[in-house]
Amino acid sequence: MTESDTDTLAVPLTALRPSLEAVLMVADQPLDATVLATAVSYPAEEVTAALDALAAEYAEQGRGFELRNVAGGWRFYTREEYAAVVEGFVLEGQQARLTQAALETLAVVAYKQPVSRARVSAIRGVNVDGVMRTLLARGLVEEAGRDGDHGATLYRTTTYFLERIGVQSIDELPELAPYLPDLDDLEDELADMVTPPAAAPDAGPDIEPDPAP
């Protein structure tokens, strides 16, 4: 077996269509035929033919999803006639569970509200823009004015949030706040890291003054 054959068979040869479906199922962006061919270890021409056949098969069977070739890449999409169902599921969030990242972000907002995205990001140590958009779309957080010092938008939890967890007010939340880092301390530490210590004033040469006459 040549070196070229070894490279081609680096991935065990499996059924083409199921292999394509498995890869496309976990893809977070459209994949072109070349990338898919490499992933499933089949020639690009066979992959393209299989993709066309899968797309036609899904359409014929009336599946709730379809396989599209958009901007040179293949990806699964919700079929247009079922878009309203998916939209309701995503926006209402009655069945979809929040991710761990969303739960952690929601906890920070609940205990530090009103709070800006930047401060939530500082506490969690990661960018939370995407997660905050999800929480806003779910109706769990809402805008609560602006920070007087920086003009940043502030966020707080909603009455819907209270309804979902079964309490009347945020005062009834469990005592978890002590486990969150204190924001003032965090900001002081960051300021110390980026601000050099002030230089001592120059007192001049160390000479004793002449005694008074």
Side-chain angles (χ1 to χ4, degrees), residues 28-119:
D28 58 0
Q29 61 185 0
L31 303 176
D32 61 34
T34 302
V35 172
L36 289 168
T38 301
V40 299
S41 298
Y42 274 88
E45 296 79 6
E46 292 186 34
V47 168
T48 300
L51 290 167
D52 288 331
L54 282 172
E57 179 181 316
Y58 299 148
E60 181 180 354
Q61 295 176 351
R63 298 289 187 89
F65 60 90
E66 59 186 339
L67 182 59
R68 297 187 210 161
N69 184 6
V70 178
W74 293 85
R75 189 178 185 183
F76 286 125
Y77 293 86
T78 301
R79 196 169 295 280
E80 185 176 357
E81 51 263 45
Y82 302 108
V85 177
V86 175
E87 182 180 3
F89 175 78
V90 173
L91 295 182
E92 293 299 330
Q94 296 298 323
Q95 298 177 3
R97 293 188 175 185
L98 293 175
T99 63
Q100 184 66 30
L103 289 172
E104 292 174 3
T105 301
L106 183 57
V108 174
V109 175
Y111 286 102
K112 291 292 187 180
Q113 60 184 307
V115 63
S116 68
R117 291 190 187 192
R119 292 188 173 189

Side-chain angles (χ1 to χ4, degrees), residues 148-166:
D149 296 330
H150 308 289
T153 301
L154 300 176
Y155 297 90
R156 65 189 175 199
T157 53
T158 63
T159 54
Y160 176 66
F161 164 76
L162 298 177
E163 293 173 6
R164 295 295 293 177
I165 64 174

Side-chain angles (χ1 to χ4, degrees), residues 7 15 17 68 88 102 106 193 195 202:
D7 293 339
R17 291 193 188 183
R68 297 187 210 161
L106 183 57
M193 293 174 63
T195 305
D202 186 2

Side-chain angles (χ1 to χ4, degrees), residues 101 104-105 117-118 120-129:
E104 292 174 3
T105 301
R117 291 190 187 192
V120 177
S121 295
I123 291 172
R124 291 204 56 229
V126 296
N127 185 290
V128 299
D129 288 353

Side-chain angles (χ1 to χ4, degrees), residues 106-210:
L106 183 57
V108 174
V109 175
Y111 286 102
K112 291 292 187 180
Q113 60 184 307
V115 63
S116 68
R117 291 190 187 192
R119 292 188 173 189
V120 177
S121 295
I123 291 172
R124 291 204 56 229
V126 296
N127 185 290
V128 299
D129 288 353
V131 176
M132 287 294 288
R133 284 194 293 269
T134 297
L135 295 176
L136 284 165
R138 297 283 185 90
L140 295 169
V141 301
E142 62 185 2
E143 293 186 5
R146 293 188 175 276
D147 188 325
D149 296 330
H150 308 289
T153 301
L154 300 176
Y155 297 90
R156 65 189 175 199
T157 53
T158 63
T159 54
Y160 176 66
F161 164 76
L162 298 177
E163 293 173 6
R164 295 295 293 177
I165 64 174
V167 298
Q168 296 295 322
S169 71
I170 59 173
D171 295 332
E172 298 180 28
L173 292 175
E175 292 295 330
L176 295 179
Y179 296 97
L180 295 174
D182 185 80
L183 188 58
D184 294 333
D185 292 344
L186 178 62
E187 290 178 340
D188 290 343
E189 292 178 8
L190 292 175
D192 291 340
M193 293 174 63
V194 300
T195 305
D202 186 2
D206 186 15
I207 301 177
E208 294 184 0
D210 293 333

